């Protein structure tokens, strides 16, 4: 009776615990979050432990029953080789000869008492060799006869698809990746305020708080070492100044959004009068008129 009661209690525990875990997965948003729902993990661990203990008891009980059967047949359980099946399997897959049977495969020649055994190749090695031959034939037909895509072709296709997805993301996402090709000048007070904070923290030491220049060039005139305008300033801040000298590359430290904001703030220095302006450096930069603007102006002239 006790045995049946234990089995019933085991089945009830498994069923209830499994139902509770299933219900938690359906109800909780993050059922397996250890911090939000620790009881779920406790139930899972308890379920696994109970199942393992039950199986272990079954194995022990089965082993005792087998030992009793052997004792009734007059066989000592300690003398039974429980690994006989494993040894038989290894012998079948290696065709290994026992030391006592090596006389059957010794070759006639020897050198200084050194003899050679005429062992056959292990079946596992032979079957693996056959498998490589089949694989080689399939590979030859697929890639050299039928012309399937090579690894290089697959890589190029994957990269092209990734570029298309990135372009689509940039075109539709409000938080698109900002780079020199897509950056635009910002004008809102919040963006310029953030740009000013970044400038004062990282740039003012070399360019002066009012942009008049110091170690770095003057930012208030129209002369630029690496070009003016939002795109050139963004690129210069990101990649740094001239090789071997000049400003470090801030792209490794600042986020693209912050570089855009500080570049927009720097452009606001244009035309201002710093306290101690540094002598102009670089070349005169004039903002290029866009093709679209020229087209509009031409259209207006033709109408007039």
């Amino acid at each position: 009776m006790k045995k049946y009661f234990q089995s019933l209690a085991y089945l009830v525990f498994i069923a209830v615990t499994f139902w509770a875990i299933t219900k938690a997965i359906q109800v909780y948003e993050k059922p397996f979050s250890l911090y939000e729902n620790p009881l779920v993990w406790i139930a899972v661990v308890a379920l696994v432990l109970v199942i393992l203990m039950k199986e272990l008891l079954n194995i022990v009980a089965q082993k005792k029953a087998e030992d009793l059967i052997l004792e009734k047949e007059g066989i000592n359980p300690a003398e039974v080789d429980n690994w006989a099946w494993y040894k038989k399997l290894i012998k079948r897959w290696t065709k290994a000869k026992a030391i006592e049977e090596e006389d059957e495969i010794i070759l006639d020649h020897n050198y200084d008492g050194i003899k050679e055994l005429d062992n056959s190749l292990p079946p596992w090695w032979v079957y693996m060799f056959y498998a490589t031959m089949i694989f080689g034939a399939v590979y030859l037909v697929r890639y050299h006869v039928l012309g399937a895509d090579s690894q290089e072709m697959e890589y190029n296709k994957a990269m092209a698809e990734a570029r298309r997805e990135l372009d689509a993301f940039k075109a539709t996402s409000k938080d698109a990746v900002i780079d020199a090709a897509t950056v635009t000048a910002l004008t809102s007070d919040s963006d310029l305020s953030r740009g000013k904070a970044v400038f004062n923290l990282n740039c003012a030491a070399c360019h002066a708080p009012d942009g008049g220049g110091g170690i770095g060039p003057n930012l208030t005139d129209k002369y630029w070492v690496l070009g003016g305008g939002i795109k050139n300033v963004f690129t210069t801040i990101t990649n740094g100044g001239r090789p071997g000298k000049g400003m470090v590359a801030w792209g490794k430290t600042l986020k693209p959004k912050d570089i855009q904001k500080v570049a927009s703030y720097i452009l606001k220095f244009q035309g201002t009068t710093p306290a101690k302006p540094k002598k102009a450096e670089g070349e005169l930069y004039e903002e290029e008129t866009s093709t679209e603007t020229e087209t509009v102006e031409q259209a207006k002239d033709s109408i007039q």
Side-chain angles (χ1 to χ4, degrees):
M1 186 67 181
K2 183 178 179 181
K3 180 179 179 181
Y4 294 112
F5 177 77
Q6 291 176 348
S7 298
L8 180 62
Y10 170 76
L11 293 175
V12 171
F13 175 82
I14 295 296
V16 172
T17 306
F18 184 79
W19 175 84
I21 294 173
T22 305
K23 198 70 175 177
I25 293 175
Q26 296 174 349
V27 173
Y28 296 135
E29 183 178 354
K30 297 179 179 179
F32 295 107
S33 174
L34 183 61
Y35 297 101
E36 296 182 12
N37 303 297
L39 291 178
V40 176
W41 276 104
I42 293 175
V44 171
V45 172
L47 179 63
V48 173
L49 288 177
V50 169
I51 293 175
L52 291 177
M53 291 176 63
K54 177 66 174 177
E55 294 302 318
L56 181 62
L57 289 174
N58 288 339
I59 293 173
V60 172
Q62 184 178 359
K63 182 68 170 61
K64 288 184 177 180
E66 292 176 353
D67 290 346
L68 289 175
I69 293 174
L70 291 175
E71 289 178 357
K72 288 181 179 180
E73 294 178 354
I75 302 174
N76 185 3
E79 298 177 353
V80 177
D81 188 0
N82 295 318
W83 294 97
W85 64 272
Y86 174 76
K87 295 176 181 178
K88 184 178 180 181
L89 179 65
I90 293 297
K91 185 175 182 181
R92 181 183 300 173
W93 277 88
T94 60
K95 287 189 176 180
K97 287 283 187 179
I99 296 178
E100 296 81 6
E101 301 174 353
E102 286 185 350
D103 291 338
E104 302 175 6
I105 56 173
I106 292 180
L107 296 176
D108 294 335
H109 65 274
N110 65 76
Y111 184 80
D112 286 346
I114 300 175
K115 299 181 180 180
E116 182 180 358
L117 298 178
D118 188 18
N119 282 314
S120 58
L121 289 173
W124 68 265
W125 191 96
V126 175
Y127 297 150
M128 186 177 293
F129 178 68
Y130 292 155
T132 59
M133 293 174 64
I134 296 172
F135 176 84
V138 173
Y139 185 93
L140 176 66
V141 172
R142 176 173 173 78
Y143 291 100
H144 296 280
V145 177
L146 300 180
D149 291 347
S150 64
Q151 290 182 339
E152 182 179 0
M153 295 169 64
E154 291 178 353
Y155 171 79
N156 291 333
K157 286 184 177 180
M159 291 298 296
E161 180 63 25
R163 283 192 289 268
R164 285 194 294 270
E165 293 178 357
L166 180 60
D167 292 339
F169 172 77
K170 288 181 179 180
T172 58
S173 176
K174 295 180 180 179
D175 299 324
V177 178
I178 301 171
D179 55 24
T182 60
V183 67
T184 56
L186 303 174
T187 57
S188 67
D189 292 339
S190 60
D191 290 332
L192 295 178
S193 177
R194 172 62 180 173
K196 180 179 180 180
V198 175
F199 180 87
N200 291 333
L201 180 63
N202 301 292
C203 313
C206 294
H207 294 280
D210 57 3
I215 298 174
N218 187 346
L219 302 175
T220 64
D221 55 40
K222 294 185 178 181
Y223 290 84
W224 296 85
V225 176
L226 296 174
I230 186 64
K231 296 184 183 299
N232 289 324
V233 175
F234 181 91
T235 301
T236 302
I237 297 173
T238 303
N239 300 330
R242 290 162 291 180
K245 58 181 178 179
M247 184 175 63
V248 299
W250 288 98
K252 300 178 181 179
T253 306
L254 300 176
K255 296 180 179 179
K257 287 185 178 181
D258 285 338
I259 295 178
Q260 181 186 25
K261 292 173 183 178
V262 73
S264 300
Y265 176 74
I266 288 173
L267 292 180
K268 292 297 181 181
F269 284 130
Q270 292 288 284
T272 62
T273 305
K276 297 180 180 179
K278 186 179 180 181
K279 184 179 179 181
E281 300 177 65
E283 299 178 357
L284 180 65
Y285 178 82
E286 295 290 345
E287 192 75 33
E288 296 180 358
T289 304
S290 65
T291 305
E292 182 180 352
T293 304
E294 292 177 354
T295 304
V296 171
E297 294 297 332
Q298 291 173 1
K300 287 182 178 179
D301 293 342
S302 62
I303 293 173
Q304 292 173 356

